[in-house]
Amino acid sequence: MVDIKVKKVNSGLKGTVIIPSDKSISHRSVMFSSLAKGKSIINNFSNGADCISTMNLFKSLGVEINRTSEKSLEVISNGILKPLKEELDCGNSGTTMRLCTGILAGQNFNSILFGDESLSKRPMQRVITPIELMGGSITSNDGKAPLKIKGTALNGIEYHSPIASAQIKSCVLLAGLHATGKTTVIEPYISRNHTELMLKYMGANITTLNNSTTVEKSELETRVIDVAGDISSSAYFIVAGLIIPNSDIVIKNVGLNPTRTGIIDVVKRMGGNIEILNQNTVSGELVGDIRVKYSQLKGCSISGDDIPRLIDELPVIALLATQADGETIISDAQDLRKKESDRITTITNGLNSLGGNIQEKPDGFIINGKTILKGDKELEVFHDHRLAMTYYVAGLICEKEILIKEFQWVNISFPEFEKLFNNLF
Ligand code: S3P
């Protein structure tokens, strides 16, 4: 248990921060390299606990994975998974569980996916339903983990996903890699497309047209994968730079895939001073640097196709909105209740306890700004790394010190978080 105290910073943030590896891309780099025959190299792999869960899980599936440096891996596989044990631990990671469901459903062996207390409460029916439509067989605890997957031959389907979710889409597409015929996923709005880009980069037969992606049975080829920095991790620095007076910071090596850059659009909508510099493409993904300065902000509306493009940033965007003049309305974000915590309730209660004026809606928030955050409170993070990081940034502008309990949950995605903030003070 690591409880930390955070107090107001008295001068603006200044300097440069190099953002560590993207969690979503890191997961996929190990998973897909494990399915390719030969040796793959992954540079800038995430040190977050979630991605380590994925790495260990694929080791349990018989894949040789070696660390060649602090942040680089080599993955050596013959393209066929050979499990060393049946029970596979996904830790706290929804991405690991949902994507591996798709990978394991079409194998010629059985497996059981389990996770920690928080992951065991999260909905898995959303991936069980399409896999069953493909002919797969999964037994669950009433739609939750553990998932007992009976490996079997799968058929391609056309699946209309009820939710814009990259985890559902990826699960079905990965099952489609081993299924007969074509597998198509159509989603209501476009969710992050790292699976599509990386599968294409590794030679899979995959095509996307608007909201619809089709994959056919494909052998993946090994590659060198350079993982971009995580825009979701950079969100805490973007918001801190915008709300702490006199700040001017550059956030380097950030993944700028348009399916992830909703936060940049929202900051612009709010009148924030944000600039993109040095754009280029790395391993099929757009990357660049982001410069932010302290700004006077105004409230805005966030809904519909914005939501999947900033779903993980909504807790810290809610904090941002407490510092914007007027009303910010966030709608169509009901899936936020299904994350590591019910983020609509937890963030409303947490930020209101500090002095925010947030009204909870079934599908989002109404946030009235600008409010002074008084602080002088203890906050629980409910096993949720994104709450821990949002409260840390809030603490930097609170009038009085706050205490964040169990701050170690930050390690799920961003172990370097505090150290990188300290460089900017
Ligand atoms: C992820 C997709 C999103 C996101 C999660 C990572 C991914 O989840 O919230 O942190 O890597 O595919 P959903 O697909 O459930 O929206």
Side-chain angles (χ1 to χ4, degrees):
M1 304 296 166
V2 185
D3 298 349
I4 64 158
K5 290 179 177 168
V6 184
K7 62 174 187 240
K8 188 169 179 162
V9 280
N10 291 318
S11 55
L13 303 184
K14 299 275 181 219
T16 299
V17 40
I18 300 175
I19 283 295
S21 176
D22 187 272
K23 182 159 84 73
S24 291
I25 302 176
S26 286
H27 280 299
R28 287 159 172 81
S29 68
V30 163
M31 292 178 186
F32 304 173
S33 296
S34 297
L35 299 177
K37 190 172 176 184
K39 179 158 102 176
S40 305
I41 307 285
I42 303 171
N43 294 317
N44 195 31
F45 184 73
S46 167
N47 280 328
D50 271 5
C51 295
I52 306 290
S53 293
T54 291
M55 184 179 83
N56 289 336
L57 190 149
F58 278 86
K59 284 184 181 172
S60 304
L61 286 170
V63 179
E64 183 183 336
I65 305 177
N66 304 312
R67 269 202 190 272
T68 47
S69 74
E70 199 203 338
K71 289 194 169 175
S72 296
L73 303 179
E74 60 179 20
V75 178
I76 303 167
S77 174
N78 59 11
I80 296 164
L81 303 175
K82 284 222 176 73
L84 310 178
K85 54 183 178 184
E86 199 181 39
E87 302 203 348
L88 302 166
D89 188 355
C90 301
N92 185 255
S93 174
T95 307
T96 309
M97 186 167 284
R98 297 197 179 113
L99 270 59
C100 287
T101 300
I103 291 173
L104 294 169
Q107 302 290 336
N108 59 2
F109 55 83
N110 300 338
S111 40
I112 300 173
L113 293 173
F114 70 97
D116 71 4
E117 193 189 318
S118 149
L119 184 56
S120 305
K121 290 186 190 145
R122 295 181 61 191
M124 294 298 149
Q125 193 57 46
R126 53 180 61 196
V127 290
I128 298 172
T129 299
I131 293 298
E132 286 180 343
L133 289 171
M134 296 177 86
S137 167
I138 302 176
T139 316
S140 69
N141 176 17
D142 202 15
K144 306 216 162 84
L147 304 182
K148 293 185 181 159
I149 301 171
K150 192 161 169 277
T152 184
L154 302 175
N155 314 307
I157 51 165
E158 181 175 298
Y159 188 61
H160 290 256
S161 178
I163 310 167
S165 155
Q167 293 182 353
I168 300 175
K169 172 175 65 179
S170 302
C171 170
V172 179
L173 293 175
L174 291 168
L177 277 184
H178 296 113
T180 51
K182 291 183 178 180
T183 298
T184 299
V185 183
I186 299 152
E187 36 181 8
Y189 301 116
I190 299 173
S191 64
R192 68 190 66 191
N193 65 355
H194 305 300
T195 295
E196 296 90 305
L197 293 183
M198 198 180 289
L199 287 180
K200 181 118 207 130
Y201 179 64
M202 296 178 76
N205 191 346
I206 183 164
T207 48
T208 299
L209 187 65
N210 304 323
N211 298 9
S212 168
T213 301
T214 300
V215 72
E216 288 181 67
K217 203 174 232 177
S218 313
E219 303 268 306
L220 300 183
E221 296 157 13
T222 58
R223 291 282 182 270
V224 174
I225 301 172
D226 292 308
V227 181
D230 198 328
I231 190 163
S232 299
S233 300
S234 79
Y236 305 96
F237 293 91
I238 293 175
V239 169
L242 290 166
I243 65 178
I244 298 172
N246 298 317
S247 295
D248 182 356
I249 57 174
V250 175
I251 308 160
K252 290 185 93 75
N253 188 37
V254 183
L256 295 174
N257 179 319
T259 62
R260 296 282 298 281
T261 48
I263 183 166
I264 296 176
D265 299 344
V266 161
V267 169
K268 287 183 181 160
R269 232 177 267 168
M270 291 177 131
N273 193 331
I274 189 163
E275 230 183 314
I276 308 294
L277 313 162
N278 304 322
Q279 279 201 52
N280 60 81
T281 303
V282 173
S283 303
E285 293 275 359
L286 205 60
V287 297
D289 302 337
I290 298 176
R291 181 173 184 183
V292 281
K293 294 184 193 163
Y294 173 69
S295 306
Q296 301 294 336
L297 302 165
K298 56 180 192 300
C300 73
S301 289
I302 304 170
S303 64
D305 59 1
D306 293 326
I307 299 298
R309 298 178 59 240
L310 45 64
I311 185 81
D312 292 337
E313 289 67 81
L314 283 171
V316 79
I317 288 174
L319 168 65
L320 181 69
T322 68
Q323 301 309 301
D325 289 322
E327 200 172 61
T328 295
I329 303 180
I330 302 176
S331 311
D332 305 320
Q334 53 281 356
D335 217 42
L336 211 50
R337 295 193 183 278
K338 303 285 188 319
K339 297 295 176 186
E340 285 82 335
S341 69
D342 173 345
R343 288 182 177 156
I344 296 183
T345 298
T346 50
I347 212 72
T348 301
N349 293 343
L351 294 179
N352 281 348
S353 79
L354 299 178
N357 179 353
I358 305 181
Q359 204 182 310
E360 182 174 337
K361 300 198 298 160
D363 66 341
F365 314 86
I366 301 172
I367 303 159
N368 276 292
K370 173 177 182 172
T371 45
I372 291 172
L373 299 187
K374 295 188 275 299
D376 200 18
K377 283 279 178 303
E378 283 188 15
L379 294 161
E380 302 275 351
V381 307
F382 304 103
H383 301 192
D384 188 339
H385 56 130
R386 302 215 184 272
L387 293 192
M389 293 186 277
T390 298
Y391 294 151
Y392 182 95
V393 178
L396 300 178
I397 59 162
C398 281
E399 289 187 328
K400 289 197 175 145
E401 187 173 271
I402 62 167
L403 182 120
I404 308 173
K405 298 181 94 175
E406 301 194 7
F407 190 71
Q408 76 278 2
W409 283 98
V410 72
N411 294 331
I412 287 293
S413 63
F414 198 174
E416 309 86 344
F417 178 84
E418 254 190 296
K419 193 180 98 196
L420 293 182
F421 258 104
N422 282 330
N423 290 339
L424 302 177
F425 297 146

